[in-house]
Amino acid sequence: MIDVPELSLVALVGISGSGKSTFARQHFKSTQVLSSDYFRGLIADDENDQAASAEAFDALHYVAGKRLAAGRLTVVDATNLQPHGRAALVKLAREHDVLPVAIVLDVPEAVAWERTQAREDRTFGRQVLTRMHRDLRRSLGQLTREGFRKVHVLRGLEEIEAAEIRYEKLFNDRRDEHGPFDIVGDVHGCRSELEALLTRLGWELIRDDAGRPVDAVHPEGRKTVFVGDLVDRGPDSPGVLRLVMGMVANGHAICVPGNHEQKLARKLNGRNVQLTHGLPETLEQLEAEPAEFVTEVRTFIDGLVSHYVLDDGKLVVAHAGLKEAYQGRASGRVRSFALYGETTGETDEYGLPVRYPWAQDYRGSAAVVYGHVPTPRAEWINNTICLDTGCVFGGALTALRWPERELIDVPAEKEHYAPVRPLFTTTSEPDRGLDIADVIGRKHLDYGYGRTTVPAENAAAALEVMGRFAVDPEILVWLPPTMAPCSSSTVDGYLEHPSSAFADLRAAGVDRVVCEEKHMGSRAVVRVSASGKGDAIWTRTGRPFFGPEMDGPLLARVRAAIEPILAELETEWLLLDAELLPWSAKAGSLIREHYAGVGAAGRAALPAALDVVNRVAGRGLDVTALRDRLGLRSSEIDGYSAAYRAYVKPTEGLRGVTLAPFAVLAGAGVSYAGKDHGWHLAMADRLVAADPELFTATRRMIVDLADPAAEAEATDWWLTLTGAGGEGMVVKPYAGLAAVDGKGRLVQPGVKCRGREYLRIIYGPEYTRPEQLTRLRQRNLGRKRNMALREHGMGLAALDRLAEGAPSWRVHELVFAILAAESEPVDPRL
């Protein structure tokens, strides 16, 4: 059995004709194997052209590096008989922090020569094979010294044919352990505080005959993870070790080493180390313990693994943290970073090394939990958190409950050890927020509800808007998705009709819908808090709505109305999806320049033209057809003007401005996307009741799609609504924003069904003519619907990430992608 690490660089070693390529085909995927012959063929169109070997291996190493960087097993099929060739592979493995493995195929030279003679593409003489065999004999004793971590030698045909590959996980790979975990920060000999913290976390301590804690169990089957630095500085390092070692031995805990354990182990192993930073106290405490215990301590520390990858790769625990590129890897460099972190090479005013703030640059999907650097309080920074809250220095001992992400701590009983650098003047590094590299250029996003690609040109357009006009990206956590129209209607005289909207959602597996009045205004997202901090109102493109002189007073009124709901939901802030009315309050210039001009020109020109035609008719000429056409056009222009005038109302400052809320999207640490629309609209109604001058109610009907009578009633309601000048309605799955079909896929959050007269604004005064309707019914809705669903999914994902406390860049990359999607070429009339 040949044990091969799941992530490694495997070098096949053997003379020509030893069967390396056949072995590779039998035991590895074709995509895992990089053959030197194949790369020579790529370079020179001849696999046997030895003159192309240098360039071929250069290309092979490049591809191998890309695979290893992506975390993929890579097999190099070459003779690998020369030390310099193998050295290049070992170097490549080390550069990517994976283990180099050698599999040697040692066959008799005679067998290899027989195979070589049978191949028409091999024309070299027997002396070449003899030299290769001599090189192989020399290589066998050198492979381990050269750096190969595993060397498997298969001697003879029988061993080669009987060989089986068995993949083994690295020691740090515990992805199959899902917890739940209680992750404990640096203990530093504070046994009493550790007992108190475990007890508070619900653990039951088990003591020996002397009353010393030697194990702990949790009634809910939780497991503790210790981030290292169990020893030094504190009053009872042996007591901490005894408890932790017992928990680990009994499967109740796992532990990674800290730099203090590493130094203690070196001392216990007879190495010369400096007796500083609490080590003398630990050694003094260990002198009172039996020699057997000290031996157990040395064995325990020597067996600790640098870091662990847990919970399907969603959690990484390392003493000093770990960059994404090092997670799940194995090398001296990885172990060093996990133990000591990274420094800038400078020292601070206390003579301590200045740590490089790697967490500020972290962009990994796994949460990294670590300790090492004392901080006054544990805070999430870019999906990383430091749990060393300086217990031994008089701070607290902190644990993180996973996956709950809940922090629990107990205060230190006293200052056990005076810190060189004052603990409570240390400030944690803030989340630096966004980096332009997070959003610029072509990006591929997997957002949980689907995947999307953001083209570089769309990203550039979004960056222009975001960079120049948008509100603070820390506040801009959601943008409204575009909305798809219902399928084109076949009802005589209508381009859109409720029957089509109902049919669309019924086809998606929705059985109950809510029909909401579609307000003709400007989409507005409102963030409002009890304290007023971070309050903002923004448009569909993330811009402040009016400006501080009007936004401030508007938000103050919203804050006053929403205060009881904030208290009821026990949240500091809420995010609302709403419509700001009237349309003219924000889109006045658009109405004047785009719509009113068309109406004014028609109303000025057509009556004059009709007057001329009527005078011509008075002279006895037959201009009936022309007069009818002009009369029809005049009537259509009147309808067009009436349509846009319905949405123009006088406003002065905030006087006449109202908000129509229809969804409560999120609060502090929670997304409300899972609530049904009944809940959302009930919240909206409470705001209307609290301030009826500011808030406008959203009229609605709930429809059972299995009941034709209910559909007919809703259609009549829509006809009445639009006949009175209303824009139309939005038909939404009653289940809420996160509604899915029978296959678990998101469905459209709503389809709009616009009124017959309102559509004159969109498609022009003459659109209701039969020939025009026939043409418009062929409009392609696919791109618009796809965009609407993608933007909706990204918006839901942004709310999910916001609720789970993801770093700001993780939320904002989705908000940015929504805005970037708006640059796609889609018919704006849809």
Side-chain angles (χ1 to χ4, degrees):
M1 188 67 68
I2 300 175
D3 291 326
V4 174
E6 289 182 342
L7 176 55
S8 58
L9 176 61
V10 179
L12 299 182
V13 182
I15 66 176
S16 181
S18 61
K20 298 183 299 302
S21 298
T22 301
F23 184 88
R25 284 194 299 271
Q26 290 175 342
H27 296 286
F28 301 101
K29 297 178 182 177
S30 61
T31 53
Q32 294 174 326
V33 180
L34 305 181
S35 164
S36 59
D37 288 346
Y38 176 76
F39 276 87
R40 266 190 291 268
L42 288 179
I43 299 297
D45 291 331
D46 182 357
E47 293 186 354
N48 296 304
D49 186 351
Q50 298 301 315
S53 290
E55 291 81 2
F57 275 101
D58 185 53
L60 185 152
H61 291 160
Y62 177 81
V63 175
K66 291 297 183 181
R67 287 186 56 83
L68 295 175
R72 307 194 191 286
L73 175 76
T74 301
V75 180
V76 177
D77 175 13
T79 58
N80 292 316
L81 296 174
Q82 299 302 319
H84 70 273
R86 296 192 297 268
L89 295 180
V90 171
K91 179 175 181 289
L92 186 64
R94 287 174 175 168
E95 287 174 352
H96 293 88
D97 304 291
V98 302
L99 300 179
V101 176
I103 300 178
V104 181
L105 276 60
D106 185 6
V107 302
E109 181 184 331
V111 173
W113 176 242
E114 181 181 347
R115 291 174 174 174
T116 300
Q117 286 182 304
R119 293 182 57 176
E120 295 180 358
D121 60 339
R122 293 291 189 262
T123 59
F124 52 79
R126 177 72 179 263
Q127 72 279 6
V128 174
L129 210 60
T130 300
R131 186 174 65 250
M132 286 184 178
H133 199 264
R134 185 173 59 249
D135 291 339
L136 176 65
R137 302 261 72 80
R138 293 197 188 103
S139 301
L140 291 177
Q142 299 175 359
L143 295 173
T144 301
R145 292 196 298 271
E146 289 173 354
F148 286 95
R149 297 290 293 274
K150 287 179 176 288
V151 177
H152 303 281
V153 182
L154 302 176
R155 291 185 169 87
L157 300 180
E158 290 187 6
E159 282 193 20
I160 294 173
E161 292 174 359
E164 293 183 24
I165 300 293
R166 180 174 60 189
Y167 293 105
E168 60 182 10
K169 292 181 179 294
L170 294 177
F171 292 138
N172 56 43
D173 185 354
R174 293 201 177 184
R175 288 176 173 85
D176 55 345
E177 290 198 35
H178 304 103
F181 300 111
D182 293 327
I183 310 170
V184 178
D186 300 39
V187 183
H188 279 300
C190 299
R191 177 191 52 77
S192 180
E193 288 89 341
L194 176 58
E195 291 186 34
L197 179 61
L198 290 174
T199 301
R200 186 174 176 192
L201 290 166
W203 289 78
E204 298 172 1
L205 295 170
I206 298 174
R207 301 179 184 272
D208 62 12
D209 294 339
R212 300 174 301 187
V214 293
D215 192 7
V217 296
H218 199 285
E220 298 174 5
R222 300 180 74 89
K223 180 174 282 191
T224 298
V225 184
F226 292 96
V227 304
D229 276 5
L230 305 172
V231 302
D232 292 350
R233 296 178 174 144
D236 191 2
S237 289
V240 172
L241 286 166
R242 185 176 291 107
L243 173 55
V244 173
M245 288 162 55
M247 293 178 69
V248 171
N250 291 305
H252 301 140
I254 57 177
C255 180
V256 297
N259 56 298
H260 283 263
E261 281 81 54
Q262 182 77 357
K263 189 174 182 181
L264 173 61
R266 293 176 64 205
K267 178 63 178 176
L268 296 179
N269 285 316
R271 303 286 294 277
N272 185 25
V273 300
Q274 292 184 353
L275 300 180
T276 56
H277 303 302
L279 179 58
E281 289 81 357
T282 298
L283 294 174
E284 182 180 348
Q285 293 164 14
L286 285 173
E287 287 178 359
E289 299 291 335
E292 296 81 3
F293 178 77
V294 177
T295 300
E296 291 174 4
V297 168
R298 183 172 64 247
T299 302
F300 171 73
I301 297 174
D302 286 343
L304 295 178
V305 178
S306 66
H307 71 282
Y308 285 112
V309 180
L310 302 159
D311 197 13
D312 293 326
K314 292 181 285 191
L315 173 65
V316 172
V317 179
H319 175 63
L322 207 61
K323 297 189 291 188
E324 184 180 21
Y326 292 170
Q327 294 168 10
R329 309 272 172 148
S331 70
R333 179 170 61 175
V334 171
R335 185 173 180 83
S336 177
F337 193 103
L339 283 170
Y340 307 106
E342 195 171 19
T343 64
T344 65
E346 305 167 293
T347 56
D348 61 17
E349 65 269 32
Y350 302 101
L352 298 175
V354 176
R355 309 289 178 186
Y356 181 79
W358 65 272
Q360 292 183 355
D361 300 325
Y362 184 71
R363 292 296 185 267
S365 59
V368 180
V369 183
Y370 62 104
H372 189 54
V373 180
T375 182
R377 60 186 179 277
E379 293 181 313
W380 285 99
I381 299 174
N382 285 337
N383 212 20
T384 76
I385 189 168
C386 177
L387 297 184
D388 184 359
T389 46
C391 180
V392 75
F393 301 129
L397 186 60
T398 299
L400 172 72
R401 280 180 169 152
W402 180 274
E404 300 89 342
R405 289 180 175 248
E406 178 186 4
L407 289 167
I408 303 293
D409 62 51
V410 296
E413 293 181 352
K414 65 177 184 178
E415 182 184 88
H416 300 285
Y417 196 93
V420 174
R421 178 171 50 206
L423 176 66
F424 294 102
T425 60
T426 302
T427 56
S428 59
E429 296 289 349
D431 181 349
R432 292 194 308 188
L434 302 182
D435 188 312
I436 193 171
D438 295 330
V439 293
I440 202 67
R442 185 179 177 87
K443 299 291 182 183
H444 302 280
L445 298 178
D446 185 340
Y447 50 91
Y449 297 95
R451 296 181 178 88
T452 192
T453 297
V454 181
E457 59 271 23
N458 291 11
L463 186 64
E464 173 74 9
V465 174
M466 289 282 191
R468 294 182 61 191
F469 307 113
V471 300
D472 185 340
E474 295 289 341
I475 298 171
L476 187 61
V477 294
W478 187 80
L479 284 178
T482 191
M483 186 176 295
C486 63
S487 296
S488 298
S489 173
T490 57
V491 177
D492 188 35
Y494 289 89
L495 181 59
E496 296 179 9
H497 191 271
S499 58
S500 298
F502 296 143
D504 288 341
L505 287 170
R506 189 184 299 110
V510 177
D511 55 7
R512 193 178 188 215
V513 299
V514 56
C515 302
E516 296 180 14
E517 170 188 10
K518 191 174 191 308
H519 300 284
M520 185 52 181
S522 302
R523 194 76 171 265
V525 184
V526 185
R527 184 194 187 279
V528 66
S529 64
S531 65
K533 183 179 179 181
D535 288 2
I537 177 170
W538 61 87
T539 67
R540 281 203 67 233
T541 56
R543 307 178 188 219
F545 221 88
F546 294 117
E549 70 285 348
M550 289 176 62
D551 287 356
L554 177 62
L555 290 166
R557 289 187 64 181
V558 176
R559 190 180 308 122
I562 210 169
E563 186 175 353
I565 297 178
L566 288 170
E568 178 183 317
L569 297 179
E570 298 180 340
T571 182
E572 167 61 25
W573 55 267
L574 285 172
L575 190 69
L576 307 178
D577 190 10
E579 195 88 0
L580 187 137
L581 307 170
W583 188 30
S584 54
K586 184 64 178 175
S589 61
L590 174 67
I591 295 171
R592 287 190 300 272
E593 297 168 10
H594 190 75
Y595 299 110
V598 174
R603 292 193 306 275
L606 288 171
L610 273 170
D611 181 60
V612 171
V613 170
N614 286 331
R615 279 185 279 150
V616 169
R619 296 178 181 178
L621 296 176
D622 184 9
V623 290
T624 304
L626 177 59
R627 182 166 54 189
D628 290 344
R629 284 201 307 273
L630 290 173
L632 176 61
R633 293 189 67 185
S634 181
S635 174
E636 290 168 341
I637 279 290
D638 288 342
Y640 175 85
S641 299
Y644 70 73
R645 284 173 175 168
Y647 310 115
V648 178
K649 295 181 180 178
T651 58
E652 182 179 349
L654 290 177
R655 184 179 300 173
V657 172
T658 68
L659 274 174
F662 40 81
V664 181
L665 298 168
V670 62
S671 167
Y672 299 114
K675 299 285 189 180
D676 64 41
H677 281 293
W679 182 88
H680 287 284
L681 291 169
M683 290 294 177
D685 290 344
R686 289 176 60 179
L687 292 176
V688 174
D691 190 343
E693 290 186 0
L694 174 62
F695 294 103
T696 293
T698 297
R699 291 172 285 181
R700 67 268 195 178
M701 285 189 68
I702 298 172
V703 179
D704 181 351
L705 293 183
D707 183 359
E711 287 193 26
E713 183 180 358
T715 299
D716 290 341
W717 178 73
W718 177 82
L719 289 169
T720 302
L721 191 70
T722 57
E727 179 184 348
M729 68 181 181
V730 180
V731 185
K732 303 177 179 179
Y734 185 82
L737 297 172
V740 296
D741 63 14
K743 296 182 179 180
R745 298 172 301 192
L746 284 176
V747 300
Q748 292 287 355
V751 293
K752 55 189 177 184
C753 181
R754 295 166 289 185
R756 186 172 186 269
E757 291 307 309
Y758 169 78
L759 286 174
R760 291 193 190 278
I761 304 175
I762 306 301
Y763 289 106
E766 303 169 354
Y767 95 99
T768 52
R769 297 181 186 181
E771 66 276 11
Q772 294 273 39
L773 279 177
T774 299
R775 179 180 58 83
L776 289 172
R777 283 169 178 155
Q778 306 306 312
R779 57 191 180 156
N780 185 357
L781 304 179
R783 184 183 290 271
K784 178 74 169 184
R785 287 176 168 174
N786 179 271
M787 178 192 289
L789 208 52
R790 278 188 291 120
E791 290 184 3
H792 172 56
M794 289 189 285
L796 285 180
L799 296 178
D800 291 342
R801 292 180 183 182
L802 182 68
E804 69 185 26
S808 59
W809 70 269
R810 289 271 293 159
V811 177
H812 197 71
E813 70 174 356
L814 295 172
V815 178
F816 188 92
I818 293 171
L819 183 58
E822 289 294 311
S823 296
E824 294 182 15
V826 175
D827 186 348
R829 299 173 300 176
L830 297 176

